[in-house]
Amino acid sequence: MRSDVQDKIFDIIAREALRDPAELTTETTLDELGLDSLGLVEVIFAIEESFGVTVPFNANEPGKAEFDISSIGAITRAVEHLLAGTRPAQAVA
Amino acid sequence: MRRVVITGAGTVNALALDVPGTLAAMAEGRSGIGPLTFPEVERLSIGIGAQVRGFDPDMHFDPQKRALYDPFTQYALVAAREAMAMAGLGQVARPEGWGCIMGTAGGGNHTINDAYRAVYAEGRNRVHPFTVPRLMPNAAAAHIAMQFGLQGPSFAVSTACASSNHAIGLAYQMVRGGVAEGMLTGGSEAMLNFGGLKAWEGLRVMSPDGCRPFSQTRNGMVQGEGAGVFVIETLESAEARGAEPLAEIRGFAMSSDAGDIVMPSVDGASRAIRAALDDAGLSPDEIGYINAHGTGTAANDRTECLAIRQVFGAAAERVMLSSTKAMHGHCIGATGAVELLACLMALRDGLIAPTINFEASDPDCDLDVVPNVARAAQVEAVLTNAFAFGGMNAVLALSRV
């Protein structure tokens, strides 16, 4: 079952990628959706505005594990950690 | 076509408030980047920048005039005075033959910031009566023209981070083509204030901890501010006046990526570099030094190195390349003008400004980036690159006279 956080993130990313949220899964990556660097920055901004959080993200180091953007599921977990005020576990591999 | 030389240079930037101080800092590899100080800086996530320090407007302007000058105009005027003094020009001989082209991205950004703060944040219903003449992007060029009575073509150029190179290039073409006898040209920028930096912060391309161009550890750009202004004229007129040419501008080229609004393209950059060489009648083998755009972002530095390799071929193995932005910060619309000073130092003093903060080599940037320490080297000709948001590229070629 999807959490509220996940629903909102699906909506944000679907809107940015011009897709139907039903097409997305937690395994979907932003690359697959064709989101470029500007699209990614807009997604991050929308997440910050929707959830009232500050996302640690530098476009020069998108792969840094501090905020994992490797899939929609990873983004959801990272936002849940931000909301809980905890640091996410470092991504393995 | 007429030969065009630089006979005067002036600057205000975070390294120094004049050319000798700036060149000394570049020779030492000193950085002007430090903690930012201005109202509400604590609300920014980025707390560092290359701010101009110790600049006292009262030393340079009477209070009535000063009320008309945003800091970007103040920097430009002080730099222009230094350039005119170095060129040995009090006034120009034929005012209608001279003009001024200045680059800027933000224009009077402090004035905009202050006026918005007054009406939106403080709820006041009135702004300073000179708000418009202070904020307009052509204010710096206009005040320089007024100060020195330049009655020919004057205007402002705004191509983000390439503004200065576009301005200098256009001024060069005017003098070369006979439209003007001489020009004052360069760029000026002052947007280190809360609103100016908040906008940049949103793009998430700035480094929180330092500018490390071409280094594997780079993580973004660091903003600077300031101005650079040059007196350019025909070689003939310089010789007739007995003025010493500092360097000759040999060529200029522009290109547009026509691709992405922020991501640079190898093709657009390499077309500008190649066309500048062609315009100058120089081959890659003759270029000893390239002042890089070298912003310290992941994308620019990789793209720029690829573009240089593409144009230079085997000559890329021995050309020296450095980004001085790690010292004076990214001065946006003024950056090409401040960086032209490093080119003058290379050509005149045989000293190549270093790329400081270089920590680890990046296979994507495997050129000689003159890491950390200035290098003595005799060079005959140089290039200076500027690649702007908007995909607008401008490259100048210069040589010893």
Side-chain angles (χ1 to χ4, degrees):
Chain A
M1 202 184 79
R2 287 179 180 179
S3 66
D4 287 351
V5 171
Q6 192 169 76
D7 278 344
K8 270 204 212 174
I9 287 174
F10 271 61
D11 285 346
I12 289 168
I13 293 172
R15 189 171 64 232
E16 202 56 53
L18 305 176
R19 303 291 179 105
D20 188 316
E23 292 176 45
L24 310 185
T25 74
T26 50
E27 279 77 47
T28 308
T29 68
L30 301 183
D31 273 353
E32 286 165 23
L33 297 172
L35 271 184
D36 63 6
S37 60
L38 277 184
L40 176 56
V41 167
E42 286 204 79
V43 164
I44 301 274
F45 174 68
I47 287 173
E48 288 184 322
E49 290 284 286
S50 304
F51 294 101
V53 295
T54 299
V55 175
F57 176 79
N58 179 341
N60 292 285
E61 316 173 288
K64 272 223 168 163
E66 206 176 347
F67 188 83
D68 189 350
I69 54 161
S70 57
S71 68
I72 295 180
I75 292 173
T76 305
R77 283 191 297 280
V79 171
E80 283 167 348
H81 282 294
L82 282 174
L83 289 169
T86 57
R87 283 179 66 82
Q90 292 286 303
V92 185
Chain B
M1 276 188 295
R2 313 194 297 177
R3 292 175 67 183
V4 181
V5 294
I6 298 174
T7 52
T11 189
V12 168
N13 66 79
L15 294 175
L17 307 180
D18 58 17
V19 171
T22 300
L23 297 188
M26 286 179 174
E28 289 166 26
R30 195 165 74 225
S31 177
I33 293 171
L36 291 165
T37 50
F38 50 70
E40 297 200 67
V41 68
E42 66 282 355
R43 286 176 58 204
L44 295 171
S45 65
I46 300 294
I48 57 167
Q51 245 180 319
V52 169
R53 307 264 173 205
F55 181 86
D56 179 5
D58 293 333
M59 267 180 57
H60 304 285
F61 313 110
D62 72 55
Q64 276 159 323
K65 290 266 178 63
R66 201 195 134 182
L68 282 161
Y69 303 155
D70 181 271
F72 100 106
T73 296
Q74 296 176 19
Y75 299 158
L77 277 170
V78 170
R81 288 174 185 172
E82 185 186 10
M84 286 292 276
M86 194 186 294
L89 279 168
Q91 292 291 320
V92 301
R94 212 177 67 81
E96 57 272 37
W98 283 69
C100 176
I101 306 178
M102 290 290 287
T104 186
N109 192 272
H110 280 282
T111 300
I112 298 171
N113 187 65
D114 292 347
Y116 280 178
R117 184 188 295 282
V119 296
Y120 293 140
E122 296 165 4
R124 282 154 56 188
N125 224 8
R126 188 181 295 127
V127 296
H128 193 280
F130 300 160
T131 298
V132 167
R134 279 163 63 135
L135 69 77
M136 58 192 198
N138 60 332
H143 286 295
I144 289 173
M146 287 158 64
Q147 170 111 65
F148 299 105
L150 315 177
Q151 298 175 353
S154 289
F155 54 94
V157 172
S158 193
T159 49
C161 313
S163 301
S164 279
N165 274 22
H166 275 109
I168 296 165
L170 288 179
Y172 159 68
Q173 289 180 335
M174 283 189 171
V175 177
R176 180 170 79 167
V179 175
E181 290 162 24
M183 299 290 286
L184 266 70
T185 184
S188 183
E189 201 70 78
M191 51 176 146
L192 297 184
N193 57 60
F194 179 74
L197 273 192
K198 185 50 89 177
W200 277 99
E201 201 176 277
L203 203 51
R204 299 188 181 257
V205 294
M206 309 231 293
S207 168
D209 50 26
C211 177
R212 296 181 288 278
F214 305 116
S215 181
Q216 200 266 327
T217 57
R218 70 188 182 276
N219 64 356
M221 54 191 275
V222 174
Q223 300 268 335
E225 63 177 345
V229 178
F230 300 87
V231 175
I232 69 171
E233 57 189 306
T234 61
L235 177 61
E236 198 181 6
S237 112
E239 282 173 342
R241 295 195 302 109
E244 184 202 356
L246 306 176
E248 179 170 359
I249 306 181
R250 293 285 298 271
F252 170 59
M254 305 171 263
S255 73
S256 299
D257 297 346
D260 191 279
I261 194 71
V262 291
M263 285 302 281
S265 110
V266 176
D267 173 64
S270 66
R271 280 190 291 112
I273 296 169
R274 187 175 288 119
L277 287 169
D278 289 348
D279 190 50
L282 291 165
S283 73
D285 285 327
E286 294 173 275
I287 302 296
Y289 169 65
I290 302 173
N291 183 284
H293 191 54
T295 55
T297 62
N300 173 82
D301 295 5
R302 182 177 62 235
T303 306
E304 183 165 15
C305 288
L306 269 172
I308 290 168
R309 280 208 172 277
Q310 221 171 63
V311 177
F312 274 59
E317 297 303 331
R318 43 128 227 97
V319 74
M320 290 175 283
L321 171 78
S322 75
S323 167
T324 50
K325 287 186 174 73
M327 295 187 274
H328 51 67
H330 192 335
C331 303
I332 314 295
T335 212
V338 174
E339 289 162 32
L340 193 56
L341 297 170
C343 294
L344 295 183
M345 185 166 83
L347 292 168
R348 284 175 56 75
D349 305 333
L351 196 58
I352 308 299
T355 304
I356 67 164
N357 300 339
F358 188 82
E359 294 173 338
S361 42
D362 176 352
D364 286 340
C365 305
D366 59 342
L367 299 173
D368 176 4
V369 299
V370 194
N372 298 320
V373 181
R375 192 183 302 164
Q378 200 70 16
V379 298
E380 297 300 319
V382 304
L383 294 180
T384 179
N385 290 341
F387 308 130
F389 279 176
M392 295 171 178
N393 312 302
V395 178
L396 290 159
L398 296 96
S399 72
R400 291 152 66 95
V401 181

